[in-house]
Amino acid sequence: MTASALELAGQAWSIEDAAARVAAVAKRHADQVDRDGAFPAAAIAALKTEGLLGALVPVAFGGLGETLSAVAEACCTLAQACASTAMIYAMHQIQVACLVRHGTGSTWHCNFLRRIAAQRLLLASVTSEEGVGGNMRSSACAVQLGTGSHGAGQRGAGGYTLEKRGSAVSYGEHADALLITARSGAYAKPSDQVLVVSPREDCELERTGTWNALGMRGTCSSALRVVAAGKAEQILPAPFGQIASDTMVPVSHLLWASVWIGIAADAVDRARLFLRAAVRRSEGALPPGALRLSMAVELLEMLQARVTVGLRRFEAARACAAEPIPVGEAADMNTLKAGVSEACLQVVHQALLICGFAGYQNEGPYSLSRHLRDLNSAPLMINNDRIRETTARLLLASKPRLGLL
């Protein structure tokens, strides 16, 4: 039932219950989504029906006004059913977070936030680029100002145009709007970037590459040529460097980590069910794999605690200050991402050793094939080597926070 239907029935609505309902839909289609590399249309439709795409949109703009922690928990719940659905939801909320923090001083972006909530729009980002790769802090394409339009292909004064060849645009062909990075002008440096909000009606898309990946297959991260045109006011007022460091990067690390923990949690649960079945067959004797179950749960609980602390610190910092993210907090977010992305794989490997060939199969109730393939993307999403090099520089400039709280 939707939130409005529950209200009419006199029942309480919660994001936790709504995420669980969507997860039930996602789970029914997860194997097919993975097998065919198909966009999880049914699960995304359920997210829209529940109103969950507007979870981070403030109540004043018609959204749910949920906390980042609540959204992270929803990502974790979804990931236990379908990692692609959860990653799409996380990526969407990352874009919404950028708009909420950096766009509410702009009339156009305030109105667009209202559209996200009312029309249940799905947002995607175009930060990767041919010739640049995954380095989102560098752009080859540039915004052309004064040559914009009120729709793709129609030029007019006071607008912008841009053309970008995105090397991997997750679910771009299925999104209702794109947030596109570009140089601020034809003569700007690659790092002098802006972030442009382009509704789908302002874009022309051409697929230039396919997505036939090892895992996260339902994200449909094909290469796309994007031609966009619109009003200059669609460009967020803050420089993209500020948006990236203050919001996009830390929120990405926190929500991605929540997805990865959800994947690992489902793998542990499958291993637990495998052991329970083995105990029944052996008339109560504890199988050797029980030790590994304990080890897997220990590691998973440490990862859960790490992300929970990261969320609390991030939300506390945002609640009491509007200043740029401190160097120490940036390093903290980087170590979180790198550590969680690799440790979740270790958890699933423990689960695989428990399940043996039943986990090695591509099908069946104990199969861990999809979990392993999906999680192998985690260290690559902003490559961990690049993150650790950046973190080392940050730690030289700021003492790491090593206390318990």
Side-chain angles (χ1 to χ4, degrees):
M1 297 176 72
T2 66
S4 58
L6 285 168
E7 289 171 359
L8 289 172
Q11 301 178 40
W13 182 94
S14 71
I15 187 172
E16 295 88 354
D17 292 341
R21 288 191 292 270
V22 176
V25 175
K27 187 172 184 177
R28 291 198 295 270
H29 301 276
D31 287 337
Q32 179 264 328
V33 165
D34 175 66
R35 182 182 63 250
D36 299 340
F39 180 72
I44 301 303
L47 283 169
K48 292 187 174 187
T49 297
E50 292 284 354
L52 289 180
L53 296 185
L56 284 180
V57 176
V59 174
F61 298 106
L64 300 178
E66 293 286 350
T67 64
L68 188 64
S69 292
V71 169
E73 186 64 33
C75 288
C76 185
T77 298
L78 292 171
Q80 293 174 61
C82 174
S84 291
T85 297
M87 186 56 70
I88 290 169
Y89 187 62
M91 290 178 170
H92 162 83
Q93 295 297 354
I94 293 161
Q95 308 314 308
V96 176
C98 291
L99 286 169
V100 170
R101 181 159 177 81
H102 303 280
T104 51
S106 158
T107 300
W108 191 94
H109 295 100
C110 286
N111 289 333
F112 189 72
L113 282 168
R114 293 185 179 94
R115 281 190 62 187
I116 293 170
Q119 300 176 22
R120 305 185 178 190
L121 304 182
L122 177 65
L123 310 187
S125 68
V126 191
T127 54
S128 66
E129 189 170 6
E130 292 180 9
V132 176
N135 181 8
M136 70 177 182
R137 287 297 290 112
S138 181
S139 289
C141 70
V143 166
Q144 301 292 331
L145 295 172
T147 57
S149 74
H150 298 265
Q154 302 176 2
R155 295 179 180 272
Y160 81 89
T161 58
L162 69 85
E163 178 179 341
K164 182 168 187 174
R165 291 183 173 270
S167 54
V169 184
S170 295
Y171 61 95
E173 293 174 297
H174 304 274
D176 301 306
L178 302 175
L179 275 70
I180 311 167
T181 52
R183 288 183 295 129
S184 62
Y187 302 103
K189 296 179 181 179
S191 60
D192 180 5
Q193 298 165 286
V194 293
L195 185 62
V196 184
V197 181
S198 184
R200 185 63 182 85
E201 60 267 23
D202 289 352
C203 299
E204 295 174 358
L205 305 181
E206 176 190 358
R207 189 187 299 182
T208 57
T210 58
W211 178 251
N212 187 14
L214 180 70
M216 290 292 180
R217 291 171 54 77
T219 62
C220 300
S221 303
S222 303
L224 295 178
R225 172 178 170 265
V226 181
V227 178
K231 300 176 181 179
E233 59 190 319
Q234 293 170 223
I235 302 171
L236 279 159
F240 179 66
Q242 178 185 342
I243 296 170
S245 62
D246 287 1
T247 306
M248 184 174 284
V249 171
V251 173
S252 293
H253 291 347
L254 289 164
L255 294 189
W256 290 349
S258 302
V259 172
W260 300 328
I261 286 174
I263 299 170
D266 187 64
V268 168
D269 194 52
R270 292 186 181 211
R272 184 182 64 85
L273 293 174
F274 177 87
L275 285 173
R276 287 182 63 180
V279 167
R280 286 195 296 269
R281 290 194 300 270
S282 62
E283 298 181 351
L286 197 64
L291 173 65
R292 291 193 179 275
L293 179 63
S294 178
M295 294 166 62
V297 171
E298 289 170 9
L299 181 52
L300 183 60
E301 288 179 346
M302 284 192 288
L303 295 174
Q304 291 168 328
R306 177 69 178 91
V307 174
T308 297
V309 169
L311 285 163
R312 288 175 180 171
R313 287 176 175 174
F314 181 79
E315 290 178 328
R318 289 298 170 269
C320 65
E323 291 83 9
I325 185 170
V327 171
E329 187 177 336
D332 186 58
M333 288 295 106
N334 283 354
T335 58
L336 181 149
K337 186 274 175 185
V340 173
S341 64
E342 294 173 5
C344 281
L345 267 172
Q346 296 175 32
V347 172
V348 180
H349 276 294
Q350 292 287 355
L352 180 63
L353 289 169
I354 293 169
C355 296
F357 278 102
Y360 197 67
Q361 297 286 338
N362 280 321
E363 298 176 343
Y366 311 118
S367 172
L368 298 172
S369 168
R370 176 156 50 86
H371 302 68
L372 283 169
R373 288 185 289 102
D374 287 339
L375 273 176
N376 267 291
S377 70
L380 309 178
M381 295 177 66
I382 309 180
N383 191 285
N384 279 0
D385 288 347
R386 179 186 295 164
I387 284 180
R388 287 191 168 112
E389 181 179 346
T390 301
T391 305
R393 297 179 186 277
L394 293 173
L395 292 174
L396 290 175
S398 175
K399 182 179 179 179
R401 178 164 43 187
L402 299 176
L404 293 178
L405 299 176

